Amino acid sequence: MTSGIHHITLITRNVQANVDFYAGFLGLRIVKRTGGFEDAKQLHLIYGDALGSPGSLVTFLVWENGSPGRVGHGQVSEIAFAIAPESIGFWLTRALNFDLQAEGPFKQFGEPVLRLRDPDGISLKLIGANLLAAAPWAGTDIPAEHTVRRVRGATILSEAPEQTTNFIRRHFGYHPHSESAAIARLVSDAGDVVDVRDASGFWPGLAGTGSADHIAFRAQDARQVAAVEGELMRLNSTVTTIHDRKYFTSLYVREPGGTLLELATDGPGFTVDEPLETLGSQLFIPPSDADRADDIRVMLPQFAMPGEARVIYRELPFVHRFHTPDDPDGSTLVLLHGTGGDETDLMPVGRKLSPRATLLGVRGRSTEEGVRRWFRRFSATAFDQEDIRFEAQAFEAFVEGANAAYGLDPTRTIFLGYSNGANLLAAFMLLHPHLARKAILLRAVSVLENVQDAGRSDADILMISGATGPYGHLAPLLEQALRASGARVDARTAGSGHELGAEDIKEATNWLARG
């Protein structure tokens, strides 16, 4: 029976900081970048050795600007990598050079240990252990003798440590090694370890950024996975179905203490769709989402490899994200999503309208009724006027800040809003004219009462309402207010409802083409 850790999966809220740490500081190779198999709009990065060998892998689900989790029982609380025992001094110096705080060195189970935290606060140990790398990766500035060799192990917090220990021993091929304080150490035939820590009385873990999603153990092939599935079914464990993850076949189960475990096959591996020489350089979309692959690619967060030029994100009033095409033309589309959306929702629309424009998606800050919006409302047609003005003023600060921070050219910046985002954009243009000189308002209505003269507008605006939408009859009042402010308004009606369609793309593309 093949045993050992296959990979450990964690969650990050900042893909660029994550890449800088794991590829830059630790020197791991990105062996795959893909949309998630459960949610293709979630970037999944996989780090490992030169081949992406099982046992070398740590993977990250990217929840960009997502909410933080909480480490507690029923979770992996700490991960560990193996280095040469004589490399502890090198890594302590390297941590200082990278301005990282290191704890140690100290001894744990007789091995020298350095403890660090990654940019999300995940606890990580570098352990001097006599384990060899399956395929050393030499593509960094780290001398070969000091490179990270493989995953050394992980710590699981459990309120039922004895049951957790027995479960891992029985189904994943681990053996008792030793005990220290509240930790029971298990070891695999491959030499890696799982430390089960008694967390009785501790709070439960919560999923989110800075926490672990699961730990995966190795299986030789799909037959071994099926055999373990049969064992678990006889025990009435909470097993999910077997999954084909393209690069391996896997099975998920929660152990008695609540931690999510996976059993994953060693093959076929990460070279099934990418040559070894360029492994990890392409962005793949799961086959099940192939029909919308272009839309998904533009919605996934971009990042630069260590040493490459990148967007330096600044603290501005609204969460935001850029998507830069391969051949940008110097123009920018600023995108304001509808109710329940986020900063990525309109990026596919932006790409279709202007393929060479840099896209800047912005996230609304109001979360009433459990969904994201741009301002508070009292009913479907009654809105909090003070909040609209406050958020419009905040958006003014955002636009001015973005122009200064990112060098945007106001004469080549176009604003596009949909539904609630279009409503905020229209209010912003009435209250703060001259900042948005060109705008597309999709399904916008008038939400602002008692509009005072804030100055003459010089904006060009395309308004597209839906012929059968629930709010289309409210659009003429907004058109009238915009015209009264001095804006040049081209008002059109699409033969659809509130949702966007191909007609909206065609009309907006033609309008932009006229300059």
Side-chain angles (χ1 to χ4, degrees):
M1 178 181 182
T2 299
S3 70
I5 292 173
H6 186 283
H7 66 267
I8 303 170
T9 294
L10 307 111
I11 306 169
T12 180
R13 76 184 310 270
N14 186 326
V15 66
Q16 187 61 70
N18 186 267
V19 170
D20 288 343
F21 183 85
Y22 285 91
F25 171 68
L26 288 180
L28 303 180
R29 184 181 193 183
I30 294 180
V31 297
K32 196 62 59 182
R33 55 182 86 180
T34 179
F37 282 82
E38 297 295 332
D39 178 4
K41 294 186 293 183
Q42 176 179 268
L43 182 63
H44 192 182
L45 290 185
I46 303 175
Y47 301 88
D49 63 12
L51 294 175
S53 307
S56 73
L57 304 169
V58 59
T59 91
F60 281 88
L61 306 174
V62 179
W63 296 7
E64 197 72 3
N65 291 299
S67 299
R70 181 181 69 188
V71 175
H73 64 75
Q75 272 187 348
V76 171
S77 64
E78 190 169 52
I79 64 174
F81 292 99
I83 58 174
E86 58 272 19
S87 295
I88 289 289
F90 169 85
W91 282 99
L92 180 57
T93 301
R94 186 171 175 85
L96 292 172
N97 290 338
F98 274 73
D99 200 24
L100 297 172
Q101 185 173 353
E103 178 187 342
F106 57 90
K107 285 288 187 79
Q108 191 173 39
F109 290 97
E111 298 172 321
V113 176
L114 279 181
R115 178 178 279 118
L116 305 163
R117 290 193 180 272
D118 80 357
D120 289 289
I122 292 170
S123 182
L124 177 151
K125 293 185 292 190
L126 296 174
I127 299 179
N130 293 313
L131 296 175
L132 299 179
W137 172 235
T140 72
D141 63 335
I142 301 172
E145 66 271 21
H146 296 308
T147 55
V148 169
R149 294 178 170 182
R150 53 162 298 141
V151 172
R152 175 57 174 137
T155 300
I156 291 175
L157 299 183
S158 176
E159 276 202 312
E162 185 173 346
Q163 295 180 58
T164 299
T165 298
N166 290 337
F167 191 89
I168 294 172
R169 289 178 58 188
R170 178 172 181 177
H171 300 295
F172 301 107
Y174 278 73
H175 315 287
H177 178 273
S178 55
E179 295 189 10
S180 175
I183 299 173
R185 169 160 287 192
L186 304 175
V187 63
S188 73
D189 293 339
D192 59 53
V193 298
V194 174
D195 291 337
V196 179
R197 178 182 285 272
D198 186 349
S200 300
F202 199 47
W203 53 67
L206 295 176
T209 61
S211 70
D213 186 74
H214 66 270
I215 179 171
F217 298 105
R218 293 174 61 184
Q220 182 175 355
D221 51 33
R223 285 180 296 183
Q224 184 179 338
V225 173
V228 173
E229 181 191 33
E231 295 174 6
L232 294 169
M233 290 180 67
R234 287 191 292 273
L235 290 173
N236 198 30
S237 294
T238 56
V239 183
T240 65
T241 56
I242 292 177
H243 297 275
D244 179 359
R245 298 304 195 200
K246 187 179 182 180
Y247 310 110
F248 47 83
T249 299
S250 67
L251 171 74
Y252 294 89
V253 63
R254 288 198 182 274
E255 52 85 14
T259 301
L260 183 62
L261 309 179
E262 180 184 4
L263 186 64
T265 59
D266 281 357
F270 298 107
T271 57
V272 294
D273 55 9
E274 205 171 9
L276 180 61
E277 294 74 20
T278 58
L279 197 63
S281 63
Q282 298 182 55
L283 174 60
F284 290 91
I285 304 301
S288 59
D289 293 283
D291 59 335
R292 57 189 190 118
D294 289 341
D295 286 351
I296 291 171
R297 286 192 179 94
V298 79
M299 298 174 78
L300 294 175
Q302 295 176 309
F303 63 88
M305 294 300 292
E308 295 179 348
R310 75 277 303 278
V311 175
I312 305 296
Y313 280 92
R314 304 302 184 186
E315 289 292 332
L316 295 176
F318 292 87
V319 171
H320 55 286
R321 185 190 303 180
F322 282 97
H323 177 85
T324 305
D326 293 335
D327 56 343
D329 61 8
S331 65
T332 303
L333 270 176
V334 181
L335 309 171
L336 287 76
H337 61 80
T339 297
D342 64 22
E343 63 272 24
T344 69
D345 275 20
L346 291 176
M347 286 189 171
V349 174
R351 179 186 62 83
K352 293 182 177 75
L353 293 181
S354 187
R356 295 183 60 200
T358 296
L359 306 179
L360 173 54
V362 190
R363 182 190 298 180
R365 304 191 300 187
S366 178
T367 55
E368 63 168 340
E369 302 169 24
V371 295
R372 191 171 290 114
R373 296 170 51 84
W374 287 90
F375 49 84
R376 291 190 296 269
R377 67 177 184 178
F378 303 127
S379 70
T381 56
F383 310 100
D384 187 327
Q385 296 300 303
E386 182 179 352
D387 197 45
I388 292 172
R389 285 170 166 78
F390 186 88
E391 293 302 301
Q393 186 173 14
F395 195 70
E396 176 192 31
F398 172 83
V399 172
E400 292 177 337
N403 287 345
Y406 304 121
L408 306 185
D409 181 353
T411 66
R412 303 200 64 193
T413 299
I414 302 163
F415 293 78
L416 184 151
Y418 166 60
S419 188
N420 186 245
N423 297 343
L424 186 279
L425 178 56
F428 163 72
M429 296 179 74
L430 289 168
L431 293 168
H432 306 281
H434 309 302
L435 283 176
R437 304 181 185 184
K438 199 163 193 174
I440 300 172
L441 305 177
L442 303 175
R443 310 301 188 268
V445 300
S446 179
V447 298
L448 197 60
E449 301 171 2
N450 302 319
V451 180
Q452 303 295 321
D453 184 8
R456 298 294 292 173
S457 172
D458 56 357
D460 289 300
I461 300 172
L462 172 66
M463 282 184 62
I464 305 180
S465 301
T468 61
Y471 309 114
H473 65 287
L474 300 175
L477 184 61
L478 174 61
E479 178 187 348
Q480 179 182 346
L482 291 170
R483 290 187 188 280
S485 74
R488 295 173 291 276
V489 182
D490 184 345
R492 306 181 188 184
T493 302
S496 59
H498 197 66
E499 72 283 356
L500 299 181
E503 186 178 356
D504 295 284
I505 302 297
K506 180 180 178 181
E507 293 285 353
T509 301
N510 291 339
W511 183 77
L512 288 174
R514 294 205 308 265

